[in-house]
Structures are given as C-alpha cells and as structure tokens.
Amino acid sequence: MVNSSKRSTTSLKLLISEIEATPREYWTELLETLRQFRQTIPLKNSPIINTEQAQKNQAAIDLLDSWLSEDEDASEHQQTWDYLKKAMDEDRLSDRPLFS
C-alpha cells in the first residue's frame, strides 16, 4: 500500500516537471487551463455557492460600502439614528423601549 502523502508528493513533482518542460511563453495559457479544469471538478468539503445569492450579497455589500464612503457629517448619522430609535419605539405593544 502506497502512502498517500508520498503519492501526493510524487504527483506534485511530476506536475512541476511538466510545467518546467513547457516553454515559458505558454505558462499563462497553461495556468488558465488549469484554473478552468479546477472549476469543473467537485471539490471535497467545499461550500456550495449559490451564484445568484452571491451576486445579491455583493450588490448589498457594494451599497453599504457606497454609504460608508459618502462624505456626510457624523451629526447627520446621529440624527438619523435618533429618529429611527424613536420611530421603532413608538406604538410598541411592550412598555419597554427597544433602545435605552
């Protein structure tokens, strides 16, 4: 029985020797081919990524980043927060406020 780490090291050495045997001007295409191949194979223990949800998440992240990058006065943010706290505490079923 062959040790898996030894087999892995041997495979890596063979892969590196093949790369080194390839003329350098083709390394960019070789790298792109390797990346495309890797994307087509199922990876063990890799999270399943829903691309549609990932795009929505990225859109939300971009929106939040744009809000953070706006040059607004900190007092304006505080006023907005104070208004939101007051609005959320109005007409509550509980007598306890959400925010103290």
Side-chain angles (χ1 to χ4, degrees), residues 8-26:
S8 179
T9 302
T10 303
S11 297
L12 182 58
K13 287 179 182 178
L14 289 171
L15 182 58
I16 291 171
S17 69
E18 283 297 324
I19 293 169
E20 290 173 340
T22 304
R24 284 187 180 258
E25 62 262 20
Y26 298 107

Side-chain angles (χ1 to χ4, degrees), residues 46-59:
S46 66
I48 298 174
I49 298 173
N50 180 336
T51 55
E52 182 180 346
Q53 186 62 50
Q55 289 172 344
K56 289 178 183 178
N57 293 352
Q58 189 59 51

